[in-house]
Amino acid sequence: MELTKDDSKILKGIAIILMVLLHLFCRKEIEGFYTTSFYINDIPLVYYIGLFGDACRPIYLFVTGYAFYLTFIDRDIKQTINKNMIRIFKLFMNFWIMLLLFLVLSLLIGRIDVFGSLQQFLLNFTLLDYSYNGAWWFLQIYIIIVLLSPLLIKIVKNTPIALLLPISGIVYAACYLQFYKSILDFGPLTIIESQLCLIGTSQFSFFIGAIFSKYKWLTKIYNTVHHIKFKNALCMMGVLSLIIFHGFVESAIIAPVNGIFFIVLFSLMTKKRWVTALLQYISSHSTNIWLTHMFFYTMMFPGLAFLPNSPLLVFIWTMALCIIASYTIKLFFNPLSRGIDKRLKSKNGDTLLKVS
């Protein structure tokens, strides 16, 4: 039982849902945002759900590493690199369409001032800065990881796991501590130092995903436990245990552990058809949800996401706003994407990898 292409898309969609939960609810002071009656030791219960959302990046990177390992094994490396460049270009194209649409919207509602100077706009347009939307920092890192993927997958193929795992784990821990705790005092982190630290905290989950793919660990785990009774209930209890564990250990340093265990537990569960269909639908909009969700409670529309005043309704309302925005973005992106696919397919005689 290995991850299919649809499984990978669904898991990436779940990662983005967790990102939204993290950004909306990982706060202990909720006055002015929403109200709730459920507390644990004077801390909103929804905070712990939001806290678990920091598994979003590890899940996304795990799936990327998992898929890229299969891609590099099955295809010529030059062809794969070309496809990755097309993937990145399409991601930028999606990003640019989104940014320009929100720029036009700001003109229509008289809020062009939120975009600041031309220099600030160009820095955000080229992703050299993400002052408009804090969630875009991961877009920078994801693109760098995609560019580095041929080297990273080569390392996975040629390095014994007993050597790769501890080295990758040490790099992860060192970069995490340097980024968040400044264990070595070199003064304020420069942009390059910050990027290196973020890449260092990202490579671990990517490597784990590629290792799972290489050794088919999901199949081995499934063959070991699939016969157990009440498998779905036990897996749900496992996810709940991860949330509780993170409530005791609130540091994001354990996010890759939560992400990896979540992927295993989710993959083992038997999903209802309607659940799969719903997750596939959300996943089809996941990139645009990622790119736009912070606009609806910062910058463009401060506080709009929190109008319903109830955590559940806040989440549903925010997702609805993002999906409406996504449909608008897709009106422009999809025809351009199909045009690029058609042109390159006729030129190269090959089917291009599409970016959802």
Side-chain angles (χ1 to χ4, degrees):
M1 184 211 72
E2 294 299 305
L3 295 180
T4 65
K5 188 175 181 180
D6 285 341
D7 293 332
S8 296
K9 287 183 177 180
I10 286 174
L11 282 168
K12 283 188 174 182
I14 291 174
I16 301 306
I17 291 173
L18 290 175
M19 179 187 291
V20 175
L21 291 171
L22 173 69
H23 293 161
L24 288 177
F25 303 124
C26 192
R27 62 184 83 240
K28 294 180 180 179
E29 297 296 331
I30 64 171
E31 186 176 353
F33 295 102
Y34 41 81
T35 58
T36 180
S37 302
F38 303 99
Y39 287 82
I40 298 177
N41 294 329
D42 296 324
I43 297 174
L45 176 62
V46 72
Y47 163 79
Y48 296 103
I49 297 174
L51 181 65
F52 183 73
D54 64 16
C56 58
R57 177 166 54 133
I59 292 173
Y60 207 94
L61 291 166
F62 177 104
V63 173
T64 302
Y66 188 100
F68 277 21
Y69 183 85
L70 294 176
T71 301
F72 276 83
I73 291 298
D74 294 340
R75 294 194 180 106
D76 174 74
I77 187 168
K78 182 178 179 180
Q79 180 188 32
T80 302
I81 292 174
N82 289 338
K83 289 179 182 296
N84 280 348
M85 296 306 295
I86 296 168
R87 179 193 300 268
I88 291 171
F89 176 73
K90 284 189 174 184
L91 187 55
F92 263 113
M93 186 171 68
N94 194 120
F95 172 76
W96 289 329
I97 290 170
M98 176 277 305
L99 185 56
L100 291 173
L101 285 174
F102 273 94
L103 179 64
V104 171
L105 180 59
S106 73
L107 285 168
L108 293 176
I109 64 175
R111 298 214 59 209
I112 188 62
D113 58 295
V114 300
F115 283 89
S117 65
L118 176 61
Q119 179 184 7
Q120 186 180 4
F121 177 80
L122 292 176
L123 286 173
N124 279 269
F125 189 81
T126 54
L127 274 181
L128 295 175
D129 191 16
Y130 44 87
S131 59
Y132 292 166
N133 192 315
W136 294 349
W137 73 263
F138 181 52
L139 192 57
Q140 292 178 331
I141 299 303
Y142 176 74
I143 289 171
I144 293 171
I145 290 291
V146 171
L147 291 172
L148 292 175
S149 59
L151 173 61
L152 299 179
I153 296 301
K154 187 175 181 180
I155 291 173
V156 174
K157 289 173 62 178
N158 298 328
T159 307
I161 188 173
L163 183 62
L164 177 58
L165 272 180
I167 291 177
S168 178
I170 290 171
V171 170
Y172 167 77
C175 289
Y176 178 90
L177 292 172
Q178 181 62 26
F179 187 81
Y180 291 102
K181 307 295 183 181
S182 297
I183 54 175
L184 298 176
D185 188 7
F186 298 121
L189 284 177
T190 65
I191 293 176
I192 294 177
E193 289 171 336
S194 296
Q195 292 293 70
L196 289 174
C197 285
L198 290 172
I199 293 169
T201 57
S202 298
Q203 51 78 36
F204 182 64
S205 299
F206 181 95
F207 276 138
I208 295 293
I211 289 170
F212 263 74
S213 183
K214 178 180 179 179
Y215 294 102
K216 300 189 182 302
W217 281 355
L218 284 176
T219 295
K220 293 176 181 178
I221 295 171
Y222 178 81
N223 290 339
T224 302
V225 304
H226 77 279
H227 62 281
I228 295 177
K229 293 183 178 179
F230 310 113
K231 178 165 57 69
N232 273 23
L234 291 172
C235 287
M236 290 297 295
M237 289 177 60
V239 173
L240 179 60
S241 298
L242 293 176
I243 296 173
I244 294 172
F245 173 66
H246 204 2
F248 285 102
V249 184
E250 296 187 44
S251 172
I253 197 169
I254 66 169
V257 176
N258 284 340
I260 293 162
F261 273 100
F262 176 85
I263 289 170
V264 172
L265 293 168
F266 181 81
S267 299
L268 291 174
M269 284 191 277
T270 302
K271 273 78 72 177
K272 297 287 187 181
R273 186 175 298 178
W274 69 267
V275 173
T276 300
L278 176 61
L279 291 174
Q280 286 176 333
Y281 172 76
I282 294 175
S283 298
S284 69
H285 295 281
S286 60
T287 298
N288 291 323
I289 294 171
W290 169 12
L291 296 177
T292 64
H293 70 280
M294 290 188 74
F295 277 141
F296 297 115
Y297 61 92
T298 61
M299 191 197 169
M300 284 287 294
F301 303 102
L304 178 61
F306 299 110
L307 283 182
N309 199 41
S310 162
L312 178 59
L313 294 180
V314 164
F315 173 72
I316 294 172
W317 169 239
T318 302
M319 293 292 288
L321 291 171
C322 292
I323 289 173
I324 292 170
S326 179
Y327 274 116
T328 307
I329 294 165
K330 284 174 178 284
L331 285 176
F332 298 90
F333 174 77
N334 285 348
L336 291 173
S337 179
R338 286 193 296 266
I340 292 171
D341 288 344
K342 184 177 180 180
R343 180 165 182 172
L344 290 177
K345 183 178 179 180
S346 63
K347 180 179 178 180
N348 299 325
D350 189 22
T351 301
L352 298 173
L353 181 64
K354 293 183 171 63
V355 178
S356 64

